[in-house]
Amino acid sequence: QVQLVEAGGGLVQAGGSLTLSCAATITDFSDYTWTWFRQAPGKDREFVATFFRNNVNTYYADSVKGRFTIWRDHAKNTVYLQMTGLQPEDTAVYYCAAGRPRLSFLRYETSYAYWGQGTQVTVSS
């Protein structure tokens, strides 16, 4: 039984910061690739950031590079997304996902077997 629980969403003014967390009940935590996606109203779900299962590499969407940071805490089986310089365009439901994609497929939601329920991030102008 695998469960991913997100937390940390909320309402923030433009330029502000939030940190999201995703706590997982999953074995071999470090052997999974962990990715954050987001979905804005009326839009498709889009890739945000990945901590690859090699425990070294991170990847970011161009739209968030330099503002968002993904990191993991192995002892807590938790992955985080630190978000700074938030803008209204970042408003979305944010989802964490776990899987074992090949490097070339890590940006695609079909690569992930396990998903959290999502947490709402709203950024006001």
Side-chain angles (χ1 to χ4, degrees), residues 8-25:
L11 176 64
V12 64
Q13 293 183 349
S17 301
L18 286 172
T19 297
L20 308 181
S21 64
C22 177
T25 57

Side-chain angles (χ1 to χ4, degrees), residues 16-87:
S17 301
L18 286 172
T19 297
L20 308 181
S21 64
C22 177
T25 57
I26 192 170
T27 58
D28 300 320
F29 178 82
S30 296
D31 197 38
Y32 284 85
T33 290
W34 295 90
T35 294
W36 288 94
F37 291 86
R38 67 185 182 185
Q39 188 165 18
K43 297 186 180 296
D44 293 332
R45 193 168 298 183
E46 66 174 343
F47 166 81
V48 176
T50 287
F51 199 119
F52 196 62
R53 61 175 172 152
N54 65 3
N55 301 314
V56 175
N57 297 111
T58 58
Y59 304 91
Y60 297 93
D62 289 342
S63 59
V64 306
K65 188 175 182 179
R67 299 188 296 122
F68 291 10
T69 302
I70 187 171
W71 61 284
R72 306 189 306 185
D73 187 329
H74 176 75
K76 296 181 179 180
N77 275 16
T78 300
V79 62
Y80 300 87
L81 184 69
Q82 295 177 311
M83 306 183 295
T84 62
L86 285 164
Q87 300 298 315

Side-chain angles (χ1 to χ4, degrees), residues 89-107:
E89 307 87 77
D90 298 314
T91 294
V93 177
Y94 284 71
Y95 300 89
C96 67
R100 290 172 173 166
R102 295 177 66 91
L103 179 61
S104 298
F105 298 93
L106 62 84
R107 294 173 179 260

